Amino acid sequence: MEETITLKEILETLRKNTWIIICCMIISAVGVFGFMNFFVTPKYEAISQVLITQNAQDQNAAVQNSEIQANIQMVNTYGVVIKSPRILKIAADEIGSGMTLESLASRVSVDSVQNSQVINIHVVDDNPEEAIRMVQIVTKNFLKETPDMLKIKNVELLANAYSAQKISPNAKLGLLAGMFAGLVIGVIISFGRRIFDERFKKEEEITSRLKIPVIGTIGNIVRSENGYDSDQKMRRRDKK
């Protein structure tokens, strides 16, 4: 006969195994935190910014607005140029230390501030100082090569990178993930204990599983009753 578990029994199972769930969450969170700190190499990101300026300052407002919209649409083109082999090959040679075009390309990413003429150049590396140096070299070569490549002179440096931020591993996210994993494991263990527990908990289980009627039950003996019986026995022995 298939056994069904009610919502009340589910809550009761979780309540009885609360200590198991909490222990699993703590152990899992500590394990993830230790793994991230001792086995995961930190990554640092340095960012420089490039601004696409206007070519003419004496144009009327309508023409200037049209040029701004054109520059915004050109941001994707500039992003492709920054990651092009022509720019990165020169930058990789200048960086040295065995840096290859493919290795540098895997470290460089480009994005833009929405609806703006600002391009962000990102470089990620294990060493924060190297991340700063590489993004400065990539940005410098982009500003140097772009005028001849695209026949324009409307790109200039907005902000150079002088610091790098640690982007991974994310300790808070790791702890939350570890606690969630521990919660799942704890719940699985709790219901595993419930499913594989062969002890009878209700009279109905005896009837359904053994196919025999229940003749009678013996109530639980509390401590007060045990104490009363002991006192009676002691008094009887004293009388004798």
Side-chain angles (χ1 to χ4, degrees):
M1 183 176 180
E2 186 178 354
E3 181 181 4
T4 59
I5 302 178
T6 64
L7 178 59
K8 182 179 180 181
E9 290 174 330
I10 292 175
L11 296 177
E12 184 66 17
T13 300
L14 295 176
R15 185 189 66 80
K16 289 182 177 179
N17 295 276
T18 301
W19 64 274
I20 294 179
I21 297 175
I22 294 176
C23 288
C24 288
M25 292 176 65
I26 294 175
I27 293 173
S28 180
V30 171
V32 171
F33 183 79
F35 177 80
M36 293 173 63
N37 280 273
F38 295 104
F39 297 99
V40 178
T41 303
K43 297 292 184 181
Y44 298 88
E45 181 183 57
I47 304 174
S48 62
Q49 291 184 318
V50 174
L51 175 65
I52 304 173
T53 60
Q54 294 174 236
N55 289 319
Q57 301 296 330
D58 56 351
Q59 297 175 343
N60 58 51
V63 175
Q64 287 182 358
N65 184 67
S66 176
E67 184 176 0
I68 290 174
Q69 294 301 318
N71 289 337
I72 292 175
Q73 295 177 1
M74 282 289 292
V75 165
N76 292 333
T77 301
Y78 288 115
V80 174
V81 171
I82 293 171
K83 296 201 65 174
S84 66
R86 176 172 175 177
I87 301 296
L88 295 185
K89 182 65 172 66
I90 299 173
D93 293 340
E94 185 176 345
I95 292 171
S97 301
M99 179 63 66
T100 63
L101 172 62
E102 293 76 14
S103 180
L104 181 59
S106 66
R107 290 171 166 82
V108 177
S109 61
V110 182
D111 61 24
S112 61
V113 180
Q114 188 175 10
N115 295 326
S116 73
Q117 298 173 247
V118 176
I119 299 175
N120 298 320
I121 303 175
H122 306 254
V123 171
V124 177
D125 193 75
D126 300 345
N127 188 315
E129 288 77 16
E130 281 299 306
I132 296 171
R133 188 171 76 92
M134 284 190 285
V135 76
Q136 290 177 346
I137 292 174
V138 171
T139 304
K140 181 187 69 175
N141 284 281
F142 168 69
L143 296 174
K144 180 181 178 181
E145 297 294 328
T146 299
D148 294 335
M149 188 185 304
L150 300 180
K151 308 302 180 183
I152 56 174
K153 296 182 179 179
N154 66 333
V155 180
E156 65 180 37
L157 181 65
L158 178 62
N160 212 349
Y162 294 103
S163 63
Q165 300 293 326
K166 183 178 179 181
I167 58 172
S168 69
N170 189 323
K172 292 182 179 179
L173 184 61
L175 285 174
L176 289 176
M179 292 179 67
F180 179 76
L183 174 63
V184 173
I185 294 172
V187 171
I188 293 175
I189 293 176
S190 299
F191 283 100
R193 295 183 65 199
R194 166 67 173 79
I195 293 172
F196 294 104
D197 187 358
E198 297 295 333
R199 293 175 298 177
F200 295 113
K201 304 174 185 65
K202 296 183 296 184
E203 295 180 11
E204 293 79 4
E205 294 181 2
I206 300 175
T207 305
S208 61
R209 290 167 60 181
L210 299 181
K211 307 300 181 181
I212 58 176
V214 177
I215 299 175
T217 59
I218 300 175
N220 294 326
I221 301 176
V222 298
R223 290 185 177 180
S224 60
E225 294 175 351
N226 287 332
Y228 176 76
D229 292 342
S230 299
D231 292 340
Q232 279 187 331
K233 292 177 181 179
M234 290 179 64
R235 286 196 295 269
R236 288 173 182 173
R237 285 198 300 267
D238 292 340
K239 290 181 179 179
K240 292 179 180 180

